[in-house]
Structures are given as C-alpha cells and as structure tokens.
Amino acid sequence: MKFAAPRAIARRSALAALLAAPLWAAAQASYPSRPIVMVVPQAAGGTNDIVGRLVSQKLGEVLGGATVVENRPGAGGNIGTQFVAKAPKDGYTLLMTISSSQAINPALFKNPGFDPVKDFKPVGLIGSVPNVLLVNPDFPARNMAELVALAKAKPGHYQYASAGNGTLNHLLGEMLNSMAGIQLQHVPYKGVAPAINDVLGGQLPMVFASMPSALSHIKAGKLRALAVSGATRSPVLPDVPTIGETVAGYNGTLWIGLFAPAGLPADIQTKLQDGMATGMAAKDLRERLEAQGVEIAPKTTPEQFAALLQEDLAKWAKVVKTSGATVD
C-alpha cells in the first residue's frame, strides 16, 4: 500500500481549508439561518416568561429570523441555566434569565450546576423589575415607618409570605430584617400566587411580589402597596415610596437580561449584542415592557452588565449568609 508524501498531505489539507473557509464564512454571515431558542428557566406566565416572549419577538424581527421561547423550569432556575451552559456555542441557544437565578442561586446551592460568570457571555441587559411589599388592606401599618415600629414592638409576631425558601422575595424580607433591626417571620409558599392568595384572604399580613404579579391587585384595591424594593420609585406607582426612604441603603431589585454560552464566536456575539441594542431602542417594545412594570435599563455595554452581575453576586451572597437560607 502506498502512502501520500507529507508534502502532498499538507497541500491537500491547505486546499481543503481554503475550500471550507468560504462555506464557514457564509454560515457565519447568514446567522441566523434557523430558529434561535431562548430558554427561560422559569415556568410560563411569570415575569421572566412574559418579558422573554416580548423581547424574543422583537429580537427575531431585528435579526431577520425566527426566535422561540422554551421554558425549562426547575430547581429555582438551575435546570434551564445548566442546559444553556452546556449547549452548543453557536448562538442558537440563549438564556433569558433573572438575577434571582443568575446571582442568588450560586450562594443558595452548594452546586447549582453552572458558573454564572465563566459559563456565560452577557448579551444585553433589559431592565429591572422592583418587588412591592404588599399588605392586606386591614393591616394597621400605613407606611414603612409604622411597619418597622410595629415589628420592633412585637419581635417575631408579624409574618411575611414568599414564593419559597431562597427566592428573591424571601431574601428581600431577610434583608429588611437585617437592615431595619426587626424580626418578621418568613412563611414560604410554592410560588407567588398562593402566597398572594393567603394575604388576600387575611391568613398572613404581607408579601413581597414582583410588579407584574402585584399590579392588578393594587389597582383593584384588594392589596395595599406599602413600598417598593428598588432604589427609586417606580413610574408605574409614583406615589408609593421605596423601602430605602425609611430604611437607609435598602435596595433589592430583580433584573432581567440575555446571556449566551461562553465560547460564542465573536461575530455572532456582536450580531446578538447589536440586535438586542436595536430591539431595546424600539418604542413599541419599550412601551409593552413598561406596561408590565419593567423599568428599562439605560444603554448598557456587555462589560457593564458583567460588572452588575459581579456586584449582585457579592451582595446576595452576604444576604444569604446572614439569613442562613439554603435549599440543599
């Protein structure tokens, strides 16, 4: 049997590479050539799902291709996040996530199954969604100062509901306890809907809930908004003060953003980042997001988004440690 000489092999390899290069370049240039799957690691109908579907539609329009939302809930968002971390690095599987999954879970779980920094590339920050501290209309406190006074007068007497142990609205209560020097008792539920229902029914006096989950109850007069968790008042509820106006330094806001698996080719990453920037500048998308209580982020670079993630990882790790919360 005769074997080709090394020089002949080298020439053939070089020729094959030259022939393949235009095909590879064409494939990159035509991105997206098939539907982009935007994974939401929470169940359908929640804040992240609602926002994800609005953004997904606009991103598809901007990029000139189809985008579909795929819900992969479970383990507080870990299952869907793990899936994207291990997905092909080709730009066809993206992660639409919230800070509670990306910035809090690494402190709550001994092994969440992903590294929030090393496994992902930030694509675009969408905005923030403040939580609202809701109380039953019969609750005697009419503002945060009165709530703090009541709680200090009867340590451990008053309870607050949350969507579950380790969720953002649980940790918002723990942060309030720590910063205000009070002892509200946490009562976890399996989701925010049953937690709100029991506050509506008077079984518990208060609950932290995201703005999209809270607005309809506030507008109907069934629950009273005592304060919002963000650093500034919400444009949707301009007359409702922030917790920080009473408890200095308090700021707990949920952000929503788009990530891609680490290792994404630079040109595809740029296309996605540019596409997100164009989409988020569109008036129709901004209006629809704002109607849901989303506070649109100012123009943010991927580097600034990465810095925000690092900041939140440190902040929530401290809150988790102080509260002793764990889900393992």
Side-chain angles (χ1 to χ4, degrees):
M1 181 180 293
K2 292 184 178 181
F3 294 92
R7 286 187 179 179
I9 293 174
R11 284 196 298 270
R12 290 173 188 173
S13 298
L15 179 59
L18 287 171
L19 291 173
L23 296 176
W24 180 86
Q28 299 291 88
S30 63
Y31 173 85
S33 60
R34 65 178 191 270
I36 297 171
V37 177
M38 192 178 287
V39 174
V40 170
Q42 287 80 32
T47 299
N48 193 30
D49 178 66
I50 293 169
V51 172
R53 292 179 187 280
L54 292 173
V55 173
S56 171
Q57 180 182 348
K58 178 58 68 176
L59 183 61
E61 292 174 8
V62 172
L63 294 178
T67 57
V68 295
V69 169
E70 183 177 304
N71 297 90
R72 286 181 173 265
N78 287 350
I79 290 177
T81 307
Q82 292 168 13
F83 177 81
V84 178
K86 297 172 183 176
K89 326 299 184 184
D90 56 8
Y92 289 98
T93 306
L94 306 176
L95 177 69
M96 175 65 70
T97 194
I98 51 180
S99 53
S100 56
S101 294
Q102 203 76 359
I104 297 177
N105 283 5
L108 281 173
F109 293 82
K110 291 179 181 177
N111 182 19
F114 63 92
D115 186 303
V117 176
K118 294 180 180 178
D119 290 341
F120 297 95
K121 281 283 187 183
V123 174
L125 178 64
I126 294 165
S128 60
V129 180
N131 267 244
V132 186
L133 179 54
L134 303 169
V135 296
N136 184 282
D138 294 332
F139 189 62
R142 309 299 299 182
N143 53 53
M144 281 302 301
E146 291 180 5
L147 170 60
V148 170
L150 284 174
K152 285 186 174 181
K154 293 184 176 181
H157 177 74
Y158 297 101
Q159 300 173 312
Y160 74 97
S162 84
N165 189 38
T167 58
L168 177 65
N169 39 32
H170 167 206
L171 296 179
L172 288 172
E174 295 299 336
M175 188 161 65
L176 178 60
N177 279 339
S178 175
M179 296 182 72
I182 58 177
Q183 296 177 31
L184 300 174
Q185 293 299 310
H186 173 231
V187 180
Y189 284 76
K190 292 183 178 180
V192 72
I196 289 176
N197 285 340
D198 271 9
V199 176
L200 285 166
Q203 284 84 357
L204 281 100
M206 68 191 87
V207 61
F208 281 93
S210 67
M211 189 68 76
S213 302
L215 272 177
S216 61
H217 301 293
I218 297 168
K219 290 179 177 179
K222 295 179 179 179
L223 292 174
R224 184 155 38 88
L226 211 62
V228 295
S229 68
T232 59
R233 294 192 182 197
S234 169
V236 179
L237 297 173
D239 296 329
V240 177
T242 68
I243 294 175
E245 290 176 43
T246 301
V247 182
Y250 189 101
N251 178 19
T253 299
L254 176 150
W255 50 253
I256 304 175
L258 187 66
F259 290 83
L264 189 70
D267 56 342
I268 292 181
Q269 182 179 339
T270 298
K271 277 192 175 184
L272 283 170
Q273 290 168 348
D274 291 347
M276 276 292 291
T278 300
M280 290 305 303
K283 183 181 178 182
D284 59 338
L285 176 60
R286 296 174 73 89
E287 288 177 346
R288 294 176 75 183
L289 289 172
E290 287 169 349
Q292 295 294 329
V294 177
E295 298 174 11
I296 307 297
K299 189 174 181 180
T300 306
T301 66
E303 291 75 21
Q304 290 170 326
F305 188 10
L308 173 63
L309 173 59
Q310 291 280 16
E311 181 183 318
D312 269 15
L313 284 165
K315 177 175 77 173
W316 292 113
K318 183 178 179 181
V319 174
V320 169
K321 182 177 181 180
T322 301
S323 70
T326 181
V327 292
D328 282 329

